[in-house]
Amino acid sequence: MEVQDYELRKFEAEGGAPLPVADEHGYFENQGARIWYSTYGSGPAVMLLHGGLGHSGNWGYQVPALVRSGYRAVLMDSRGHGRSTRDERPYSYELIASDVLAVMNALRLGQTTLVAGATALARL
């Protein structure tokens, strides 16, 4: 039986599950930043956007479930988070949204389902 961690105690104590080995990963340049991405599996694309102060490693539990269900999971680290860089400009929702679109366009994702942390939703 799978243990549910609704109060996030296990996540708080141990962190997220490690991400599996990516099928593809790398960087895209966009407006003064190098944006890191990775993809897993095949099928319809589901792009996972972490919340503020997070990084793509926060999706370690969701990626294997999506791949098992026949989806292509696409992750990225927002500018200035995880493996992505940033320039001296202040963050803005428009700038961060342009990074998401740059990754989507570079990977030729077309129609994509977005799953996002609360702060990520605010910026799209």
Side-chain angles (χ1 to χ4, degrees), residues 39-64:
T39 69
Y40 308 81
S42 60
V46 177
M47 190 163 192
L48 303 171
L49 304 172
H50 63 79
L53 304 178
H55 55 79
S56 59
N58 297 136
W59 297 108
Y61 292 111
Q62 290 78 15
V63 168

Side-chain angles (χ1 to χ4, degrees), residues 69-117:
S69 297
Y71 292 96
R72 179 182 184 197
V74 180
L75 280 61
M76 64 175 277
D77 284 338
S78 294
R79 70 174 46 227
H81 294 74
R83 290 159 274 217
S84 292
T85 66
R86 65 174 291 203
D87 59 13
E88 69 283 346
R89 289 182 286 177
Y91 291 108
S92 71
Y93 293 134
E94 293 80 11
L95 187 58
I96 295 171
S98 79
D99 295 335
V100 174
L101 289 174
V103 171
M104 290 176 67
N105 289 336
L107 293 175
R108 296 183 172 102
L109 295 183
Q111 186 173 355
T112 304
T113 299
L114 298 177
V115 177

